[in-house]
Amino acid sequence: MVFALVGLVVLALLGAVHRYVWRRFVGDTTAPGSPLRRAGTVAAFVLPLLSIGAMTSGRVGAPFWLQQVLAWPGFLWLACLLYLTLALLVGEVVRPVLLRVLARRDGAIPGAGARTVPAPAIAGPAGESGTGTGTPADIPDGTRPRTGELVPSHSSGASARSEAAGRTAPESVTEPVVEPATEPGRERETEPAAGPLATSATVPATTPAPGPSRRLFVSRVVGGAAAAAGLATVGYGTYGVLRGPSVKRITVPLAKLPRAAHGFRIAVVSDIHIGPILGRAHTRRIVDTINATSPDLVAVVGDLVDGSVADLGSAAEPLSALRARHGSFFVTGNHEYFSGAEQWVDHVRELGLIPLENARVEIEGFDLAGVNDIAGETEGQGPDFGRALGDRDRGRAAVLLAHQPVVIHDAVEHGVDLQLSGHTHGGQLWPGNLLAELANPTVAGLERYGDTQLFVSRGAGAWGPPVRVGAPSDITVVELASRQA
């Protein structure tokens, strides 16, 4: 019942997000009935269906070829949806600012009021050729000012000129006024007549509300910028995963480590996630990267695969080429229990790796222990710290391989000096690291808990979208240091 409710909430959230993305990218930027509107609407229905298919096809036992067909577009769209939505949310802040700027540029800010534009008045003496209204005779009737105009009589033309001469000029006019040319020998009138003879036109300010063209322009600019930012982010994150993990190196001092083991190097790799997207070539890149570091020991700390041995056994075969002086060791992660953990344990053993199923081996200068992932509890194969660490000599340093960081408190209780984990992917997709911090004591890197140090790898692969943003994949060479050296 609880899972059904959670599923409904997730589907409702996905529906709402897709509706929002459609509105901003399609509804606000295209014309109704246009080919682009139809194509965008079809995509808004097809892409989420591909994503649901990608997430569920493996769990329901769909043919592996179908899983591969659905995985690339389905999972990539989930990453695109995340970053397109984040970019659009930033655009919501920019959108009103752009509208305001454009409105100011167009002079369409509401509340500008009305402007009074004086109309030119040119007076001439009575009897002079023309109409006798003070308007030059050479001005066509169609260009003479009419609205709100008072015309002086013939007998008052001279007095009007004398009154106008003593007046100050009116305030500057914001709209240009074209004055007629002055005839030779005639005095040019530059002032409007005063009092009842004043000639002026009151022009209401143009205050149109933001029109559809302006809103459309802003929608396209914001939508285009959001699409470019979101897709570029996903593209770069995909390139980082397909390029393969980088190598990090850290030094971890252990108080109980003897001088003879000083400088012992462990290549830690987790969350390889061989699956429908990341296959044999991905495994080969990781193996080559590890071998290039010439480690003393290789630790594969869970989540090796996303699928069955039947589908992915050949993709895991390059692991047989791992080379380390003290061998390569493996512990299960939660994804192994979704993929047939028992079969995978047998298969990695055939490839030359040593599974540590709640077990311990003595290495030169320290004990190396490994526990099953807590997801195995549903199958009666969960972690057993007593079996792995209960009867050991606590005077020796102990290094524990455990997929999930949350078991650190059990490690502290059993006197472990260093726990090596993965599982978190470092958050994989920012801001996923914020969610990962809520569920894990450490998301990435080295931290201390009492007398126990915990190192968490970001992992070498990716789950779901083959994309990493803000959490690059890595393989870490952990060099143990003796305080006695």
PDB file of all heavy atoms in Angstrom, residues 295-333:
ATOM      1  N   PRO A 295      48.826  -1.221  -8.367  1.00  0.00           N
ATOM      2  CA  PRO A 295      48.471  -1.303  -6.943  1.00  0.00           C
ATOM      3  C   PRO A 295      48.986  -2.596  -6.312  1.00  0.00           C
ATOM      4  O   PRO A 295      49.289  -3.569  -6.998  1.00  0.00           O
ATOM      5  CB  PRO A 295      46.948  -1.278  -6.977  1.00  0.00           C
ATOM      6  CG  PRO A 295      46.599  -1.953  -8.268  1.00  0.00           C
ATOM      7  CD  PRO A 295      47.684  -1.554  -9.235  1.00  0.00           C
ATOM      8  N   ASP A 296      49.039  -2.592  -4.982  1.00  0.00           N
ATOM      9  CA  ASP A 296      49.360  -3.824  -4.254  1.00  0.00           C
ATOM     10  C   ASP A 296      48.125  -4.700  -4.094  1.00  0.00           C
ATOM     11  O   ASP A 296      48.230  -5.925  -3.969  1.00  0.00           O
ATOM     12  CB  ASP A 296      49.934  -3.482  -2.875  1.00  0.00           C
ATOM     13  CG  ASP A 296      51.255  -2.738  -2.961  1.00  0.00           C
ATOM     14  OD1 ASP A 296      52.160  -3.236  -3.652  1.00  0.00           O
ATOM     15  OD2 ASP A 296      51.349  -1.642  -2.370  1.00  0.00           O
ATOM     16  N   LEU A 297      46.958  -4.070  -4.111  1.00  0.00           N
ATOM     17  CA  LEU A 297      45.701  -4.793  -3.908  1.00  0.00           C
ATOM     18  C   LEU A 297      44.583  -4.009  -4.566  1.00  0.00           C
ATOM     19  O   LEU A 297      44.609  -2.766  -4.571  1.00  0.00           O
ATOM     20  CB  LEU A 297      45.438  -4.972  -2.405  1.00  0.00           C
ATOM     21  CG  LEU A 297      44.219  -5.763  -1.936  1.00  0.00           C
ATOM     22  CD1 LEU A 297      44.540  -6.474  -0.607  1.00  0.00           C
ATOM     23  CD2 LEU A 297      42.996  -4.868  -1.723  1.00  0.00           C
ATOM     24  N   VAL A 298      43.602  -4.716  -5.131  1.00  0.00           N
ATOM     25  CA  VAL A 298      42.429  -4.080  -5.737  1.00  0.00           C
ATOM     26  C   VAL A 298      41.211  -4.423  -4.894  1.00  0.00           C
ATOM     27  O   VAL A 298      40.991  -5.587  -4.551  1.00  0.00           O
ATOM     28  CB  VAL A 298      42.216  -4.538  -7.196  1.00  0.00           C
ATOM     29  CG1 VAL A 298      40.937  -3.929  -7.766  1.00  0.00           C
ATOM     30  CG2 VAL A 298      43.412  -4.168  -8.055  1.00  0.00           C
ATOM     31  N   ALA A 299      40.414  -3.396  -4.569  1.00  0.00           N
ATOM     32  CA  ALA A 299      39.180  -3.594  -3.803  1.00  0.00           C
ATOM     33  C   ALA A 299      38.001  -3.128  -4.639  1.00  0.00           C
ATOM     34  O   ALA A 299      37.873  -1.922  -4.921  1.00  0.00           O
ATOM     35  CB  ALA A 299      39.237  -2.832  -2.485  1.00  0.00           C
ATOM     36  N   VAL A 300      37.135  -4.062  -5.068  1.00  0.00           N
ATOM     37  CA  VAL A 300      35.910  -3.741  -5.811  1.00  0.00           C
ATOM     38  C   VAL A 300      34.784  -3.707  -4.789  1.00  0.00           C
ATOM     39  O   VAL A 300      34.339  -4.745  -4.298  1.00  0.00           O
ATOM     40  CB  VAL A 300      35.632  -4.779  -6.914  1.00  0.00           C
ATOM     41  CG1 VAL A 300      34.377  -4.396  -7.692  1.00  0.00           C
ATOM     42  CG2 VAL A 300      36.832  -4.888  -7.851  1.00  0.00           C
ATOM     43  N   VAL A 301      34.313  -2.492  -4.471  1.00  0.00           N
ATOM     44  CA  VAL A 301      33.458  -2.311  -3.308  1.00  0.00           C
ATOM     45  C   VAL A 301      31.986  -2.215  -3.706  1.00  0.00           C
ATOM     46  O   VAL A 301      31.296  -1.241  -3.401  1.00  0.00           O
ATOM     47  CB  VAL A 301      33.895  -1.063  -2.506  1.00  0.00           C
ATOM     48  CG1 VAL A 301      33.284  -1.104  -1.104  1.00  0.00           C
ATOM     49  CG2 VAL A 301      35.395  -1.000  -2.373  1.00  0.00           C
ATOM     50  N   GLY A 302      31.457  -3.218  -4.412  1.00  0.00           N
ATOM     51  CA  GLY A 302      30.032  -3.350  -4.638  1.00  0.00           C
ATOM     52  C   GLY A 302      29.453  -2.583  -5.808  1.00  0.00           C
ATOM     53  O   GLY A 302      30.097  -1.721  -6.414  1.00  0.00           O
ATOM     54  N   ASP A 303      28.212  -2.937  -6.134  1.00  0.00           N
ATOM     55  CA  ASP A 303      27.467  -2.385  -7.276  1.00  0.00           C
ATOM     56  C   ASP A 303      28.271  -2.523  -8.567  1.00  0.00           C
ATOM     57  O   ASP A 303      28.463  -1.564  -9.326  1.00  0.00           O
ATOM     58  CB  ASP A 303      27.076  -0.932  -7.025  1.00  0.00           C
ATOM     59  CG  ASP A 303      25.799  -0.818  -6.201  1.00  0.00           C
ATOM     60  OD1 ASP A 303      25.324  -1.856  -5.702  1.00  0.00           O
ATOM     61  OD2 ASP A 303      25.288   0.301  -6.041  1.00  0.00           O
ATOM     62  N   LEU A 304      28.697  -3.732  -8.817  1.00  0.00           N
ATOM     63  CA  LEU A 304      29.441  -4.033 -10.032  1.00  0.00           C
ATOM     64  C   LEU A 304      28.533  -4.027 -11.251  1.00  0.00           C
ATOM     65  O   LEU A 304      28.934  -3.585 -12.329  1.00  0.00           O
ATOM     66  CB  LEU A 304      30.123  -5.395  -9.885  1.00  0.00           C
ATOM     67  CG  LEU A 304      30.812  -5.992 -11.108  1.00  0.00           C
ATOM     68  CD1 LEU A 304      31.984  -5.111 -11.544  1.00  0.00           C
ATOM     69  CD2 LEU A 304      31.281  -7.415 -10.821  1.00  0.00           C
ATOM     70  N   VAL A 305      27.273  -4.513 -11.091  1.00  0.00           N
ATOM     71  CA  VAL A 305      26.421  -4.763 -12.257  1.00  0.00           C
ATOM     72  C   VAL A 305      24.995  -4.292 -12.034  1.00  0.00           C
ATOM     73  O   VAL A 305      24.546  -4.088 -10.899  1.00  0.00           O
ATOM     74  CB  VAL A 305      26.394  -6.268 -12.586  1.00  0.00           C
ATOM     75  CG1 VAL A 305      27.752  -6.727 -13.082  1.00  0.00           C
ATOM     76  CG2 VAL A 305      25.947  -7.078 -11.383  1.00  0.00           C
ATOM     77  N   ASP A 306      24.286  -4.134 -13.153  1.00  0.00           N
ATOM     78  CA  ASP A 306      22.841  -3.884 -13.171  1.00  0.00           C
ATOM     79  C   ASP A 306      22.215  -4.854 -14.161  1.00  0.00           C
ATOM     80  O   ASP A 306      21.756  -4.462 -15.236  1.00  0.00           O
ATOM     81  CB  ASP A 306      22.539  -2.444 -13.584  1.00  0.00           C
ATOM     82  CG  ASP A 306      22.826  -1.449 -12.483  1.00  0.00           C
ATOM     83  OD1 ASP A 306      22.368  -1.679 -11.350  1.00  0.00           O
ATOM     84  OD2 ASP A 306      23.514  -0.451 -12.751  1.00  0.00           O
ATOM     85  N   GLY A 307      22.176  -6.114 -13.815  1.00  0.00           N
ATOM     86  CA  GLY A 307      21.626  -7.115 -14.717  1.00  0.00           C
ATOM     87  C   GLY A 307      22.168  -8.497 -14.368  1.00  0.00           C
ATOM     88  O   GLY A 307      23.038  -8.650 -13.505  1.00  0.00           O
ATOM     89  N   SER A 308      21.651  -9.474 -15.055  1.00  0.00           N
ATOM     90  CA  SER A 308      21.983 -10.863 -14.745  1.00  0.00           C
ATOM     91  C   SER A 308      23.310 -11.272 -15.365  1.00  0.00           C
ATOM     92  O   SER A 308      23.826 -10.633 -16.280  1.00  0.00           O
ATOM     93  CB  SER A 308      20.872 -11.778 -15.258  1.00  0.00           C
ATOM     94  OG  SER A 308      20.836 -11.751 -16.674  1.00  0.00           O
ATOM     95  N   VAL A 309      23.842 -12.399 -14.863  1.00  0.00           N
ATOM     96  CA  VAL A 309      25.066 -12.960 -15.437  1.00  0.00           C
ATOM     97  C   VAL A 309      24.827 -13.345 -16.891  1.00  0.00           C
ATOM     98  O   VAL A 309      25.706 -13.169 -17.747  1.00  0.00           O
ATOM     99  CB  VAL A 309      25.529 -14.170 -14.608  1.00  0.00           C
ATOM    100  CG1 VAL A 309      26.693 -14.881 -15.298  1.00  0.00           C
ATOM    101  CG2 VAL A 309      25.920 -13.744 -13.202  1.00  0.00           C
ATOM    102  N   ALA A 310      23.649 -13.845 -17.191  1.00  0.00           N
ATOM    103  CA  ALA A 310      23.343 -14.247 -18.561  1.00  0.00           C
ATOM    104  C   ALA A 310      23.459 -13.078 -19.524  1.00  0.00           C
ATOM    105  O   ALA A 310      23.935 -13.224 -20.663  1.00  0.00           O
ATOM    106  CB  ALA A 310      21.941 -14.851 -18.625  1.00  0.00           C
ATOM    107  N   ASP A 311      23.021 -11.895 -19.101  1.00  0.00           N
ATOM    108  CA  ASP A 311      23.045 -10.726 -19.975  1.00  0.00           C
ATOM    109  C   ASP A 311      24.381  -9.986 -19.950  1.00  0.00           C
ATOM    110  O   ASP A 311      24.795  -9.409 -20.958  1.00  0.00           O
ATOM    111  CB  ASP A 311      21.935  -9.747 -19.580  1.00  0.00           C
ATOM    112  CG  ASP A 311      20.548 -10.293 -19.864  1.00  0.00           C
ATOM    113  OD1 ASP A 311      20.412 -11.116 -20.795  1.00  0.00           O
ATOM    114  OD2 ASP A 311      19.599  -9.900 -19.146  1.00  0.00           O
ATOM    115  N   LEU A 312      25.049  -9.986 -18.797  1.00  0.00           N
ATOM    116  CA  LEU A 312      26.212  -9.114 -18.626  1.00  0.00           C
ATOM    117  C   LEU A 312      27.509  -9.855 -18.314  1.00  0.00           C
ATOM    118  O   LEU A 312      28.540  -9.203 -18.099  1.00  0.00           O
ATOM    119  CB  LEU A 312      25.934  -8.105 -17.504  1.00  0.00           C
ATOM    120  CG  LEU A 312      24.751  -7.157 -17.732  1.00  0.00           C
ATOM    121  CD1 LEU A 312      24.487  -6.328 -16.481  1.00  0.00           C
ATOM    122  CD2 LEU A 312      25.028  -6.255 -18.925  1.00  0.00           C
ATOM    123  N   GLY A 313      27.450 -11.184 -18.294  1.00  0.00           N
ATOM    124  CA  GLY A 313      28.656 -11.931 -17.957  1.00  0.00           C
ATOM    125  C   GLY A 313      29.828 -11.595 -18.865  1.00  0.00           C
ATOM    126  O   GLY A 313      30.961 -11.406 -18.410  1.00  0.00           O
ATOM    127  N   SER A 314      29.579 -11.493 -20.162  1.00  0.00           N
ATOM    128  CA  SER A 314      30.663 -11.193 -21.104  1.00  0.00           C
ATOM    129  C   SER A 314      31.186  -9.772 -20.917  1.00  0.00           C
ATOM    130  O   SER A 314      32.381  -9.501 -21.121  1.00  0.00           O
ATOM    131  CB  SER A 314      30.177 -11.384 -22.542  1.00  0.00           C
ATOM    132  OG  SER A 314      29.097 -10.503 -22.836  1.00  0.00           O
ATOM    133  N   ALA A 315      30.311  -8.841 -20.523  1.00  0.00           N
ATOM    134  CA  ALA A 315      30.744  -7.460 -20.317  1.00  0.00           C
ATOM    135  C   ALA A 315      31.656  -7.343 -19.102  1.00  0.00           C
ATOM    136  O   ALA A 315      32.470  -6.409 -19.018  1.00  0.00           O
ATOM    137  CB  ALA A 315      29.533  -6.549 -20.144  1.00  0.00           C
ATOM    138  N   ALA A 316      31.549  -8.282 -18.161  1.00  0.00           N
ATOM    139  CA  ALA A 316      32.390  -8.251 -16.964  1.00  0.00           C
ATOM    140  C   ALA A 316      33.713  -8.978 -17.146  1.00  0.00           C
ATOM    141  O   ALA A 316      34.599  -8.888 -16.290  1.00  0.00           O
ATOM    142  CB  ALA A 316      31.631  -8.860 -15.786  1.00  0.00           C
ATOM    143  N   GLU A 317      33.886  -9.691 -18.244  1.00  0.00           N
ATOM    144  CA  GLU A 317      35.076 -10.523 -18.435  1.00  0.00           C
ATOM    145  C   GLU A 317      36.400  -9.773 -18.382  1.00  0.00           C
ATOM    146  O   GLU A 317      37.404 -10.326 -17.925  1.00  0.00           O
ATOM    147  CB  GLU A 317      34.966 -11.286 -19.758  1.00  0.00           C
ATOM    148  CG  GLU A 317      33.976 -12.438 -19.699  1.00  0.00           C
ATOM    149  CD  GLU A 317      33.837 -13.144 -21.037  1.00  0.00           C
ATOM    150  OE1 GLU A 317      34.483 -12.693 -22.012  1.00  0.00           O
ATOM    151  OE2 GLU A 317      33.086 -14.128 -21.100  1.00  0.00           O
ATOM    152  N   PRO A 318      36.506  -8.512 -18.807  1.00  0.00           N
ATOM    153  CA  PRO A 318      37.788  -7.814 -18.677  1.00  0.00           C
ATOM    154  C   PRO A 318      38.312  -7.745 -17.250  1.00  0.00           C
ATOM    155  O   PRO A 318      39.513  -7.497 -17.053  1.00  0.00           O
ATOM    156  CB  PRO A 318      37.484  -6.415 -19.236  1.00  0.00           C
ATOM    157  CG  PRO A 318      36.385  -6.644 -20.225  1.00  0.00           C
ATOM    158  CD  PRO A 318      35.541  -7.708 -19.598  1.00  0.00           C
ATOM    159  N   LEU A 319      37.474  -7.958 -16.243  1.00  0.00           N
ATOM    160  CA  LEU A 319      37.943  -7.955 -14.855  1.00  0.00           C
ATOM    161  C   LEU A 319      39.005  -9.029 -14.614  1.00  0.00           C
ATOM    162  O   LEU A 319      39.808  -8.910 -13.678  1.00  0.00           O
ATOM    163  CB  LEU A 319      36.773  -8.155 -13.891  1.00  0.00           C
ATOM    164  CG  LEU A 319      35.733  -7.023 -13.821  1.00  0.00           C
ATOM    165  CD1 LEU A 319      34.548  -7.455 -12.960  1.00  0.00           C
ATOM    166  CD2 LEU A 319      36.362  -5.747 -13.268  1.00  0.00           C
ATOM    167  N   SER A 320      39.009 -10.045 -15.437  1.00  0.00           N
ATOM    168  CA  SER A 320      40.006 -11.118 -15.263  1.00  0.00           C
ATOM    169  C   SER A 320      41.420 -10.612 -15.540  1.00  0.00           C
ATOM    170  O   SER A 320      42.405 -11.268 -15.184  1.00  0.00           O
ATOM    171  CB  SER A 320      39.687 -12.281 -16.201  1.00  0.00           C
ATOM    172  OG  SER A 320      39.772 -11.873 -17.567  1.00  0.00           O
ATOM    173  N   ALA A 321      41.549  -9.440 -16.161  1.00  0.00           N
ATOM    174  CA  ALA A 321      42.864  -8.879 -16.477  1.00  0.00           C
ATOM    175  C   ALA A 321      43.410  -7.987 -15.370  1.00  0.00           C
ATOM    176  O   ALA A 321      44.493  -7.404 -15.521  1.00  0.00           O
ATOM    177  CB  ALA A 321      42.786  -8.095 -17.783  1.00  0.00           C
ATOM    178  N   LEU A 322      42.689  -7.835 -14.251  1.00  0.00           N
ATOM    179  CA  LEU A 322      43.191  -7.023 -13.140  1.00  0.00           C
ATOM    180  C   LEU A 322      44.487  -7.630 -12.606  1.00  0.00           C
ATOM    181  O   LEU A 322      44.596  -8.844 -12.436  1.00  0.00           O
ATOM    182  CB  LEU A 322      42.151  -6.937 -12.023  1.00  0.00           C
ATOM    183  CG  LEU A 322      40.956  -6.005 -12.265  1.00  0.00           C
ATOM    184  CD1 LEU A 322      39.899  -6.206 -11.182  1.00  0.00           C
ATOM    185  CD2 LEU A 322      41.403  -4.544 -12.324  1.00  0.00           C
ATOM    186  N   ARG A 323      45.452  -6.774 -12.291  1.00  0.00           N
ATOM    187  CA  ARG A 323      46.741  -7.232 -11.802  1.00  0.00           C
ATOM    188  C   ARG A 323      47.103  -6.485 -10.515  1.00  0.00           C
ATOM    189  O   ARG A 323      47.135  -5.263 -10.489  1.00  0.00           O
ATOM    190  CB  ARG A 323      47.833  -6.981 -12.861  1.00  0.00           C
ATOM    191  CG  ARG A 323      47.621  -7.754 -14.150  1.00  0.00           C
ATOM    192  CD  ARG A 323      47.852  -9.262 -13.927  1.00  0.00           C
ATOM    193  NE  ARG A 323      47.622 -10.015 -15.164  1.00  0.00           N
ATOM    194  CZ  ARG A 323      46.488 -10.632 -15.457  1.00  0.00           C
ATOM    195  NH1 ARG A 323      45.460 -10.560 -14.609  1.00  0.00           N
ATOM    196  NH2 ARG A 323      46.355 -11.294 -16.584  1.00  0.00           N
ATOM    197  N   ALA A 324      47.367  -7.247  -9.450  1.00  0.00           N
ATOM    198  CA  ALA A 324      47.799  -6.672  -8.180  1.00  0.00           C
ATOM    199  C   ALA A 324      48.588  -7.721  -7.412  1.00  0.00           C
ATOM    200  O   ALA A 324      48.270  -8.920  -7.471  1.00  0.00           O
ATOM    201  CB  ALA A 324      46.607  -6.190  -7.356  1.00  0.00           C
ATOM    202  N   ARG A 325      49.616  -7.280  -6.691  1.00  0.00           N
ATOM    203  CA  ARG A 325      50.524  -8.208  -6.017  1.00  0.00           C
ATOM    204  C   ARG A 325      49.806  -9.095  -5.011  1.00  0.00           C
ATOM    205  O   ARG A 325      50.112 -10.279  -4.871  1.00  0.00           O
ATOM    206  CB  ARG A 325      51.629  -7.404  -5.314  1.00  0.00           C
ATOM    207  CG  ARG A 325      52.733  -8.223  -4.681  1.00  0.00           C
ATOM    208  CD  ARG A 325      53.957  -7.348  -4.473  1.00  0.00           C
ATOM    209  NE  ARG A 325      53.679  -6.200  -3.628  1.00  0.00           N
ATOM    210  CZ  ARG A 325      53.929  -6.179  -2.312  1.00  0.00           C
ATOM    211  NH1 ARG A 325      54.440  -7.237  -1.700  1.00  0.00           N
ATOM    212  NH2 ARG A 325      53.654  -5.089  -1.605  1.00  0.00           N
ATOM    213  N   HIS A 326      48.814  -8.542  -4.306  1.00  0.00           N
ATOM    214  CA  HIS A 326      48.087  -9.308  -3.293  1.00  0.00           C
ATOM    215  C   HIS A 326      46.678  -9.686  -3.741  1.00  0.00           C
ATOM    216  O   HIS A 326      45.872 -10.135  -2.923  1.00  0.00           O
ATOM    217  CB  HIS A 326      48.028  -8.517  -1.987  1.00  0.00           C
ATOM    218  CG  HIS A 326      49.358  -8.412  -1.304  1.00  0.00           C
ATOM    219  ND1 HIS A 326      49.857  -9.388  -0.473  1.00  0.00           N
ATOM    220  CD2 HIS A 326      50.296  -7.438  -1.353  1.00  0.00           C
ATOM    221  CE1 HIS A 326      51.044  -9.022  -0.019  1.00  0.00           C
ATOM    222  NE2 HIS A 326      51.335  -7.843  -0.544  1.00  0.00           N
ATOM    223  N   GLY A 327      46.374  -9.506  -5.019  1.00  0.00           N
ATOM    224  CA  GLY A 327      45.098  -9.959  -5.547  1.00  0.00           C
ATOM    225  C   GLY A 327      44.021  -8.894  -5.576  1.00  0.00           C
ATOM    226  O   GLY A 327      44.194  -7.757  -5.125  1.00  0.00           O
ATOM    227  N   SER A 328      42.867  -9.284  -6.110  1.00  0.00           N
ATOM    228  CA  SER A 328      41.692  -8.411  -6.241  1.00  0.00           C
ATOM    229  C   SER A 328      40.549  -9.007  -5.427  1.00  0.00           C
ATOM    230  O   SER A 328      40.264 -10.207  -5.524  1.00  0.00           O
ATOM    231  CB  SER A 328      41.275  -8.274  -7.706  1.00  0.00           C
ATOM    232  OG  SER A 328      42.337  -7.737  -8.479  1.00  0.00           O
ATOM    233  N   PHE A 329      39.866  -8.155  -4.653  1.00  0.00           N
ATOM    234  CA  PHE A 329      38.814  -8.604  -3.743  1.00  0.00           C
ATOM    235  C   PHE A 329      37.499  -7.903  -4.076  1.00  0.00           C
ATOM    236  O   PHE A 329      37.485  -6.778  -4.601  1.00  0.00           O
ATOM    237  CB  PHE A 329      39.219  -8.332  -2.299  1.00  0.00           C
ATOM    238  CG  PHE A 329      40.419  -9.134  -1.855  1.00  0.00           C
ATOM    239  CD1 PHE A 329      41.707  -8.695  -2.128  1.00  0.00           C
ATOM    240  CD2 PHE A 329      40.259 -10.336  -1.177  1.00  0.00           C
ATOM    241  CE1 PHE A 329      42.814  -9.425  -1.731  1.00  0.00           C
ATOM    242  CE2 PHE A 329      41.358 -11.080  -0.779  1.00  0.00           C
ATOM    243  CZ  PHE A 329      42.647 -10.633  -1.059  1.00  0.00           C
ATOM    244  N   PHE A 330      36.412  -8.579  -3.728  1.00  0.00           N
ATOM    245  CA  PHE A 330      35.074  -8.104  -4.120  1.00  0.00           C
ATOM    246  C   PHE A 330      34.097  -8.292  -2.972  1.00  0.00           C
ATOM    247  O   PHE A 330      34.102  -9.329  -2.288  1.00  0.00           O
ATOM    248  CB  PHE A 330      34.594  -8.890  -5.340  1.00  0.00           C
ATOM    249  CG  PHE A 330      33.137  -8.690  -5.671  1.00  0.00           C
ATOM    250  CD1 PHE A 330      32.706  -7.556  -6.335  1.00  0.00           C
ATOM    251  CD2 PHE A 330      32.197  -9.659  -5.324  1.00  0.00           C
ATOM    252  CE1 PHE A 330      31.357  -7.381  -6.644  1.00  0.00           C
ATOM    253  CE2 PHE A 330      30.854  -9.492  -5.626  1.00  0.00           C
ATOM    254  CZ  PHE A 330      30.435  -8.337  -6.291  1.00  0.00           C
ATOM    255  N   VAL A 331      33.256  -7.277  -2.733  1.00  0.00           N
ATOM    256  CA  VAL A 331      32.108  -7.415  -1.832  1.00  0.00           C
ATOM    257  C   VAL A 331      30.860  -6.972  -2.579  1.00  0.00           C
ATOM    258  O   VAL A 331      30.926  -6.169  -3.525  1.00  0.00           O
ATOM    259  CB  VAL A 331      32.259  -6.589  -0.532  1.00  0.00           C
ATOM    260  CG1 VAL A 331      33.382  -7.135   0.339  1.00  0.00           C
ATOM    261  CG2 VAL A 331      32.463  -5.107  -0.838  1.00  0.00           C
ATOM    262  N   THR A 332      29.724  -7.497  -2.170  1.00  0.00           N
ATOM    263  CA  THR A 332      28.462  -7.195  -2.849  1.00  0.00           C
ATOM    264  C   THR A 332      27.953  -5.796  -2.486  1.00  0.00           C
ATOM    265  O   THR A 332      28.209  -5.272  -1.396  1.00  0.00           O
ATOM    266  CB  THR A 332      27.380  -8.213  -2.484  1.00  0.00           C
ATOM    267  OG1 THR A 332      27.228  -8.233  -1.049  1.00  0.00           O
ATOM    268  CG2 THR A 332      27.740  -9.600  -2.975  1.00  0.00           C
ATOM    269  N   GLY A 333      27.217  -5.225  -3.421  1.00  0.00           N
ATOM    270  CA  GLY A 333      26.472  -3.994  -3.183  1.00  0.00           C
ATOM    271  C   GLY A 333      24.988  -4.279  -3.302  1.00  0.00           C
ATOM    272  O   GLY A 333      24.570  -5.402  -3.609  1.00  0.00           O
TER     273      GLY A 333
END
